[in-house]
Each structure stands twice: as C-alpha cells, then as structure tokens.
Amino acid sequence: YQRRVHGSWTDRVQHHQGHVELIGENHEEHGRNIQDLISRIENGKLEKNTVICLERKQFGENLGMKDVILLSKIVEHNERNQSDQIVLPEGMRESPIYQDALLYSKAKEHGIKVVGVEGKGLEHDQHSPSYNQCREDSIITTLEGLALRHDNVVCVIGDAHVPRLQRTLKASIPRR
C-alpha cells in the first residue's frame, strides 16, 4: 500500500501484529509531514499503541531527542506563561527541530510515544563508507523491535533510506 503525502510517499509494511509506516521525505517536506502527523493525532487517526520514530539520535547530544524534549518543554512553558516567555533564537520556529518539538508535545498529550531511531555508538562513524548501512541496520533493528511488541510504527525518514528499509522489513515478515 503506497500513497503520496505532500510530495513524499508513505509505505505501510505489515509486520507481525504491528505495522510500520515509512514516510520518506526531503528537508523541505519535513514541516508538512510533521504537521500531517499532528493533525492525525488531533483527529484520533493514530492508535494509542503507535510509536512515532524520527530520524534523530535517541541519546545524542547534538539536535537529538534530548534537544527535542527540552524544546518541547520550553514551548509548553511559553504556552502556559504568556507573561514569562523564554525567548527562542531567531529562526527557531521555522526549524525542523521546532516542528519535532511540537509533534512531541502533541503526541505526549495524547499518550503516543515519539522516539529517535538513530543509534548511539554505531560501529562506524560518519566518515566511514559503511556508515549509512550501519545507521540503516540500527534503524531496522529498532523498527522491527517495536513492531514485534505489537506497536504500530510511523517513521519519518529521509527518502534515501526508504528503499532499503522497505526491502528489509518486507523480507523479515514471517510467511503465514
């Protein structure tokens, strides 16, 4: 099953009891895809057992999930305290991490988890020719683990990763 979403494409891979939905995107599509996910959450179109995965490091120090969570707390603080705003750097509201922070807040409010799928301490660093495959292997392991727990997974990921993730996830489905 495939459909176009704001210029990117979505592929649902039935995986054990949960399903994996890959939303491939480029940098320009990120804000629209995140807004689409926020709308789906607000309209009850994502089940409680859904885990949203972002192409961010779960435990990273540089624009990882820790930073998304911190920024979401600042956004929530600013919404509650109109007279005591924390000033954000210029341009922050247009950045992908800000969009991810809005998604994180909305998902948390509705009991939906948001996690980063990039691994920490990968076998190869970004200067290695094996780095992308190592990253994708780590992402696949995470997505499979979530689907095996019967979670539905929505993964927002760069277009370049989608073909291999799709092939590998489809190949790992047990035949019934």
Side-chain angles (χ1 to χ4, degrees):
Y1 165 72
Q2 291 185 352
R3 66 183 169 96
R4 299 295 277 165
V5 177
H6 303 298
S8 65
W9 61 277
T10 300
D11 184 49
R12 290 178 184 258
V13 179
Q14 198 64 33
H15 198 274
H16 310 290
Q17 296 298 315
H19 73 266
V20 177
E21 179 181 347
L22 301 174
I23 302 176
E25 65 178 11
N26 60 40
H27 184 72
E28 291 79 31
E29 298 166 326
H30 187 75
R32 288 188 308 257
N33 288 333
I34 295 301
Q35 194 54 53
D36 180 57
L37 283 172
I38 290 171
S39 295
R40 289 169 64 188
I41 291 168
E42 291 173 336
N43 295 323
K45 294 185 178 178
L46 291 181
E47 299 172 30
K48 294 282 186 205
N49 70 329
T50 299
V51 178
I52 298 171
C53 298
L54 301 174
E55 191 176 355
R56 293 197 179 274
K57 290 178 177 60
Q58 182 66 24
F59 304 104
E61 299 297 326
N62 183 20
L63 300 179
M65 285 306 295
K66 219 166 31 172
D67 297 314
V68 170
I69 294 166
L70 175 62
L71 186 53
S72 78
K73 289 178 182 177
I74 292 171
V75 169
E76 290 169 10
H77 167 85
N78 286 350
E79 287 173 359
R80 285 190 310 269
N81 301 292
Q82 296 296 316
S83 63
D84 183 28
Q85 298 274 306
I86 297 171
V87 178
L88 295 172
E90 188 174 324
M92 175 62 74
R93 293 181 194 281
E94 292 78 38
S95 69
I97 194 166
Y98 186 83
Q99 297 301 317
D100 291 353
L102 295 176
L103 172 65
Y104 183 88
S105 293
K106 185 57 68 177
K108 185 175 84 172
E109 181 183 313
H110 288 265
I112 294 173
K113 294 178 192 161
V114 178
V115 299
V117 291
E118 287 217 28
K120 180 180 181 182
L122 296 177
E123 184 179 344
H124 299 278
D125 70 12
Q126 62 191 23
H127 304 292
S128 167
S130 302
Y131 177 67
N132 275 335
Q133 182 173 344
C134 188
R135 279 180 64 215
E136 289 173 353
D137 289 345
S138 175
I139 292 167
I140 289 165
T141 299
T142 301
L143 298 179
E144 286 178 329
L146 291 168
L148 283 169
R149 284 190 350 211
H150 307 287
D151 289 328
N152 292 321
V153 180
V154 177
C155 183
V156 181
I157 195 95
D159 279 331
H161 302 292
V162 172
R164 181 164 180 263
L165 295 178
Q166 181 183 24
R167 266 192 324 273
T168 305
L169 289 169
K170 282 184 177 179
S172 68
I173 299 170
R175 301 289 178 236
R176 296 185 198 273

